[in-house]
């Protein structure tokens, strides 16, 4: 039901594609002391936003994993992904961006205190604010919040503002660790990045 918690027990759930429409969906780790951690693995994609209204996905699973993720998948609806605990892995590697935040509609990705976001592919890259007129926001907020791109390939950068408007906020002890990065990549794009508060770190290994 829209707005209801989906409690996942001790299992490894596998699907092809997870698409979130105009609802709020929460994937919550079971709190029962006798249950082990649950994981959810997509074999193709996570797509948030169907163009029919705001779409929100919240995760506190021990592991959420997908080869590609689009936040703001279709035009006409804002989209949000909140990683509140556990790990979110984007595992794909290819010529296109594996993670799009603000793809065809405005999108926001928040990695919150204690949670980790990994781009694991050899050419795995992320674009914040992909298309013209579209805004994307990446928030890495709180102690232990970590964004990590493991690739050092020049074809796997973090792009903040591709053709659209991108914003990166690192605050309250959050950390971003990536290879190359570009702010305001293509002509006409807008890119903004802010690192604030004690303990917040942005490491660009390709500088």
């Amino acid at each position: 039901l829209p707005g209801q918690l989906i409690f996942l027990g001790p299992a490894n759930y596998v699907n092809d594609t997870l698409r979130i429409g105009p609802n709020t969906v929460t994937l919550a780790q079971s709190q029962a002391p006798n249950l082990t951690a649950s994981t959810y693995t997509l074999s193709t994609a996570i797509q948030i936003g169907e163009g029919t209204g705001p779409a929100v996905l919240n995760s506190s699973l021990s592991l959420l994993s997908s080869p590609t993720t689009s936040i703001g998948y279709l035009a006409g609806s804002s989209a949000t992904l909140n990683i509140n605990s556990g790990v979110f892995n984007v595992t794909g590697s290819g010529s296109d961006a594996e993670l799009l935040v603000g793809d065809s509609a405005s999108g926001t990705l928040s990695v919150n205190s204690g949670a980790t976001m990994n781009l694991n592919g050899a050419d795995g890259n992320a674009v914040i604010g992909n298309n013209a007129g579209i805004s994307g926001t990446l928030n890495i907020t709180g102690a232990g919040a970590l964004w990590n791109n493991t690739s050092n390939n020049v074809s796997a950068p973090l792009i903040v503002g591709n053709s659209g408007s991108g914003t990166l906020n690192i605050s309250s002890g959050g950390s971003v660790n990536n290879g190359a990065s570009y702010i305001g990549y293509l002509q006409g794009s807008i890119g903004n990045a802010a690192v604030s508060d004690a303990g917040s770190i942005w490491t660009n290994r390709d500088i």
Side-chain angles (χ1 to χ4, degrees):
L1 295 176
Q4 299 299 306
L5 293 176
I6 300 174
F7 289 97
L8 300 180
N12 298 316
Y13 294 85
V14 178
N15 287 114
D16 180 72
T17 299
L18 173 63
R19 181 178 287 188
I20 306 298
N23 293 303
T24 295
V25 175
T26 298
L27 304 175
Q29 190 67 55
S30 174
Q31 300 302 306
N34 61 326
L35 295 181
T36 58
S38 295
T39 67
Y40 189 11
T41 301
L42 288 307
S43 59
T44 299
I46 295 173
Q47 300 164 344
I48 306 175
E50 290 186 328
T52 54
V56 178
L57 174 61
N58 303 304
S59 177
S60 60
L61 296 178
S62 64
L63 176 63
L64 175 65
S65 181
S66 176
T68 64
T69 297
S70 172
I71 304 170
Y73 177 61
L74 296 178
S77 63
S78 61
T80 301
L81 172 58
N82 297 310
I83 306 301
N84 296 317
S85 63
V87 176
F88 174 44
N89 285 342
V90 176
T91 60
S93 179
S95 58
D96 296 326
E98 282 65 46
L99 174 64
L100 294 163
V101 182
D103 189 0
S104 296
S106 63
T108 300
L109 170 59
S110 295
V111 180
N112 296 313
S113 180
T116 298
M117 156 80 212
N118 292 314
L119 283 156
N120 295 327
D123 291 311
N125 67 317
V127 172
I128 315 302
N130 187 34
N131 291 309
I134 302 300
S135 63
T137 302
L138 172 60
N139 300 312
I140 312 297
T141 305
L146 173 62
W147 164 289
N148 186 41
N149 186 336
T150 61
S151 177
N152 287 319
N153 288 351
V154 295
S155 59
L158 168 59
I159 297 175
V160 183
N162 186 41
S163 292
S165 175
T167 300
L168 168 62
N169 297 310
I170 308 169
S171 62
S172 302
S175 298
V176 170
N177 180 26
N178 61 271
S181 62
Y182 301 98
I183 301 175
Y185 185 55
L186 297 177
Q187 185 175 0
S189 65
I190 299 172
N192 297 284
V195 181
S196 59
D197 306 318
S200 300
I201 300 172
W202 186 6
T203 301
N204 286 276
R205 301 187 304 274
D206 195 40
I207 293 179

